[in-house]
Amino acid sequence: MRLRKKKHLEERMSNCGDILLINDKSDFYKLKEVDRYKFIDTQKVFGNSNPIHLEVGCGKGGFITQMASLHPEINFLAVEKVGNVLICAMEQAIKLGLDNVNFLNSDASNLSYYIKEKSITRLYLNFSCPWPKKKYANQRLTNPRFLKIYKQILCDDADIIQKTDSPLMFEYSVEQLSQNGFGLYDVTCDLHNSSIDNEVMTEYEKYFTGIGKPIYRLQAKLNKNI
């Protein structure tokens, strides 16, 4: 179902300009490759050199704003390609007065144009669309084309944390991460009946847990021996 465009969206996006670092325009793909690069100066943006955590597909921002509130010692970047959804996350961050979270209105496939190499210490993939039809597998956020980008922007000791309600997406992610140089740990097919720490629940997680669906979770780190 297509989302109804929020009223005054352009004006509201403009009002969030201080925390909206990147806003992909429709002419992005018309640019020459060299002109697409707009690396974010995180030292300037955040005013410090704290570790940076990135959420890819932040939705309405429930997870990232809670994490930013709980961890002022960490800087957060959140990516969401749908402006109609991202606006909710940005307005929530402003309402909470958070100064350690900023946003990118961008497709995940463009992250390497904006985020410097080896600058992210943790990457979150929370309830990404599973794209269940096989022909759309290259859209899954753990497809090798995205893993290649993550490898560029992740620090040497960084990790990826994924949560999903989809057994198909989880199985696919385990397979792709394992085959593309990542070691897996803290893997569970039922997060809320495990001993794994789960500091913040996302909106989807609360819903799925409420209707009795198990939550799949994994943590992955680049295997330096591969």
Side-chain angles (χ1 to χ4, degrees):
M1 184 175 69
R2 191 171 182 177
L3 289 173
R4 180 180 298 176
K5 185 177 179 180
K6 288 183 168 55
K7 292 182 179 180
H8 312 295
L9 179 60
E10 288 77 12
E11 180 182 350
R12 290 165 66 184
M13 293 282 281
S14 178
N15 290 339
C16 295
D18 289 344
I19 60 172
L20 180 58
L21 305 180
I22 297 294
N23 190 8
D24 273 357
K25 301 296 184 182
S26 58
D27 61 353
F28 173 86
Y29 297 100
K30 297 178 182 178
L31 296 173
K32 294 179 180 179
E33 179 77 8
V34 69
D35 295 327
R36 295 180 182 181
Y37 290 93
K38 295 179 182 179
F39 288 122
I40 298 167
D41 185 342
T42 53
Q43 179 77 44
K44 182 178 179 180
V45 167
F46 292 108
N48 59 59
S49 56
N50 291 344
I52 303 170
H53 291 190
L54 168 69
E55 183 181 16
V56 179
C58 71
K60 294 181 180 179
F63 175 82
I64 206 71
T65 53
Q66 286 185 72
M67 289 294 288
S69 297
L70 290 169
H71 294 285
E73 77 283 3
I74 297 173
N75 296 325
F76 293 89
L77 292 174
V79 180
E80 174 56 56
K81 68 179 180 180
V82 183
N84 209 36
V85 175
L86 180 63
I87 188 61
C88 299
M90 294 193 296
E91 289 178 342
Q92 178 68 2
I94 291 172
K95 180 180 178 181
L96 294 172
L98 299 172
D99 60 5
N100 62 330
V101 59
N102 284 271
F103 298 87
L104 292 77
N105 185 194
S106 170
D107 192 282
S109 61
N110 296 335
L111 285 175
S112 59
Y113 293 112
Y114 306 130
I115 298 178
K116 295 178 182 178
E117 289 188 10
K118 297 187 181 299
S119 62
I120 302 299
T121 56
R122 174 164 287 175
L123 188 149
Y124 299 101
L125 298 173
N126 291 317
F127 298 89
S128 312
C129 180
W131 294 96
K133 292 185 178 180
K134 191 173 182 178
K135 65 179 180 179
Y136 296 125
N138 69 338
Q139 298 297 318
R140 298 171 188 162
L141 289 180
T142 48
N143 181 268
R145 74 185 184 103
F146 290 109
L147 296 183
K148 181 179 179 181
I149 294 171
Y150 306 155
K151 286 181 179 181
Q152 287 182 255
I153 64 177
L154 289 174
C155 299
D156 288 339
D157 293 324
D159 58 9
I160 296 174
I161 296 178
Q162 181 189 39
K163 291 193 285 188
T164 180
D165 66 299
S166 168
L168 179 149
M169 180 65 169
F170 189 69
E171 182 179 347
Y172 178 84
S173 298
V174 168
E175 180 181 276
Q176 296 304 318
L177 287 162
S178 299
Q179 292 177 0
N180 286 275
F182 288 86
L184 304 181
Y185 61 103
D186 285 351
V187 178
T188 178
C189 294
D190 193 355
L191 175 59
H192 293 285
N193 284 307
S194 76
S195 60
I196 298 171
D197 180 52
N198 188 47
E199 189 173 27
V200 172
M201 293 175 66
T202 74
E203 298 99 321
Y204 281 121
E205 187 174 356
K206 291 175 183 176
Y207 171 75
F208 290 129
T209 301
I211 62 174
K213 289 192 71 174
I215 304 302
Y216 300 80
R217 189 261 195 199
L218 63 78
Q219 203 152 342
K221 184 171 288 192
L222 273 172
N223 189 338
K224 297 177 184 178
N225 296 321
I226 297 179

